[in-house]
Amino acid sequence: MAIRVAVDAMGGDRAPAVIVEGVTRAVAASEGKLQVQLYGPEDVIGPVLDLWGAPPEVSIVHAPEVIGMGDSPVSAVRTKTRSSIHLGLMSHKESRSDAFLSAGNTGAIGAASLFVLGRLPGVFRPSIPTLYPTTSGVCTILDVGSNMDSRPQHLLQFAKMGSAYAGAMMDIARPRIGLLSVGEEPAKGNELVRTTHELLVNTLDLNFIGNIEGRDILHQKADVIVCDGFVGNIVLKLSESIKTAVPEMIWQDLQRLDPDPGVVDMLKKVFSGLKRRFDPEHYGGGSPLLGVEGEVFILHGDTTAGAVEQCVLKAAQAARVNLNYAVRKALIP
């Protein structure tokens, strides 16, 4: 049976063009195992979908209202109940779709998800993880921005949800959990980190390996790295600059050396590979909102068609492996 994914066609800086392109690419790659519902104004989406051949696996569900990137999340959720975000989430709640994704207003997606779907039992705060490129693959970092001020109990739940995510989506039997700190010793870090360390040590169902430092991330010392959203967002934004800043630094030095053209060609290929590692199109496209009662995925507003394609496929995978159930089970005391 095909997996059904509801997509906010109006979310993102270049919607609906890149959303529709990414969706059509995803259904083509799925070979009949995926159906997509595009939510948004039919008169806006229809002509764009026609440009891509209007594949039969893609349908349009009219949603006349759009929540803008600058709208107040809480106000928009209360007043725009016929928006592409709201109606897409309602289809998921009513089991007319198996997952939902959007590149729209992140705050509005989070608020609407809580309003429409609700939290999983016992969840203090939903969390957004992200995949982070490493020398041996990818690791998972959470939270990366949905919770700027967290308590130790919140980080403990992030660890449990992150472990469930790595297990279900990446097939890691016992994910290594690391707590991001300024030193490996348990006494290092601020009060939040020190208290969280104690909680994690005493949580026997987690494979907690202790504190890790920022320099350990790219070497994948842990499969899941836990931190509050303030720190996590800084780490995320740093990674976004690596694919452009590092090659630029190397080129600056090369210009002073006047290298052989053959060396330049080889380095161009190396830089292309580096950029690919840090490109969302390569490692997943979007991130789930863990802790809500459903499979909800969020994309960056400045997304590309390739990232949309990968996120649609990842949302379908989450529905197929029942990620929501894995997270729910991990949170049971």
Side-chain angles (χ1 to χ4, degrees):
M1 184 176 178
I3 297 294
R4 304 160 300 169
V5 179
V7 176
D8 170 18
M10 304 308 295
D13 299 339
R14 293 185 295 278
V18 298
I19 306 298
V20 173
E21 180 183 351
V23 162
T24 56
R25 287 166 54 171
V27 296
S30 73
E31 299 180 339
K33 298 178 181 178
L34 175 66
Q35 295 177 355
V36 174
Q37 306 158 6
L38 289 170
Y39 282 79
E42 190 171 6
D43 60 338
V44 176
I45 304 170
V48 181
L49 184 60
D50 288 341
L51 292 175
W52 292 96
E57 300 92 343
V58 182
S59 59
I60 299 174
V61 182
H62 183 58
E65 297 177 328
V66 176
I67 297 177
M69 300 300 277
D71 285 354
S72 165
V74 175
S75 176
V77 169
R78 289 176 177 171
T79 61
K80 295 185 176 182
T81 56
R82 300 179 68 201
S83 71
S84 50
I85 291 176
H86 192 105
L87 294 184
L89 285 167
M90 281 300 299
S91 78
H92 189 26
K93 178 179 178 62
E94 295 171 356
S95 299
R96 288 179 282 113
S97 62
D98 303 304
F100 170 79
L101 70 87
S102 174
N105 185 316
T106 301
I109 299 167
S113 295
L114 290 172
F115 179 74
V116 174
L117 301 175
R119 290 181 174 89
L120 285 173
V123 168
F124 296 118
R125 295 181 181 180
S127 176
I128 299 176
T130 191
L131 297 181
Y132 204 93
T134 71
T135 54
S136 56
V138 292
C139 64
T140 301
I141 300 179
L142 73 169
D143 185 83
V144 292
S146 56
N147 298 281
M148 293 298 174
D149 296 296
S150 299
R151 297 177 180 177
Q153 294 84 353
H154 302 156
L155 267 62
L156 173 60
Q157 283 197 344
F158 297 167
K160 291 182 176 182
M161 291 192 289
S163 182
Y165 175 74
M169 297 291 286
M170 303 168 71
D171 200 26
I172 303 175
R174 275 185 56 80
R176 297 167 297 164
I177 311 297
L179 178 63
L180 192 58
S181 185
V182 295
E184 295 182 354
E185 299 83 358
K188 290 290 184 69
N190 56 20
E191 183 177 352
L192 172 63
V193 171
R194 293 195 302 271
T195 305
T196 301
H197 185 282
E198 185 176 351
L199 289 176
L200 291 171
V201 165
N202 292 307
T203 304
L204 301 181
D205 56 340
L206 288 175
N207 184 18
F208 180 53
I209 63 171
N211 290 349
I212 68 167
E213 300 178 69
R215 63 187 177 187
D216 299 320
I217 297 175
L218 289 175
H219 294 290
Q220 198 166 339
K221 187 173 181 179
D223 302 305
V224 177
I225 298 170
V226 179
C227 56
D228 66 85
F230 182 83
V231 172
N233 195 260
I234 292 173
V235 173
L236 175 63
K237 298 296 174 60
L238 175 63
S239 74
E240 292 175 353
S241 70
I242 289 177
K243 68 178 183 180
T244 54
V246 172
E248 182 179 343
M249 292 175 181
I250 295 175
W251 278 123
Q252 289 170 349
D253 287 337
L254 279 174
Q255 289 174 355
R256 290 191 287 269
L257 297 174
D258 191 24
D260 181 271
V263 174
V264 173
D265 289 341
M266 180 185 68
L267 286 174
K268 284 182 178 179
K269 294 179 181 179
V270 172
F271 295 155
S272 177
L274 175 64
K275 289 182 179 180
R276 184 171 181 271
R277 287 193 182 206
F278 284 89
D279 192 329
E281 292 188 19
H282 174 59
Y283 61 84
S287 301
L289 182 61
L290 301 178
V292 297
E293 189 69 84
E295 313 290 5
V296 177
F297 279 73
I298 299 174
L299 285 145
H300 195 286
D302 187 27
T303 192
T304 64
V308 172
E309 175 189 1
Q310 293 302 313
C311 190
V312 171
L313 295 174
K314 184 184 285 186
Q317 178 193 359
R320 191 173 296 112
V321 303
N322 205 342
L323 172 62
N324 195 52
Y325 173 77
V327 174
R328 177 194 290 268
K329 185 177 178 182
L331 293 171
I332 296 175

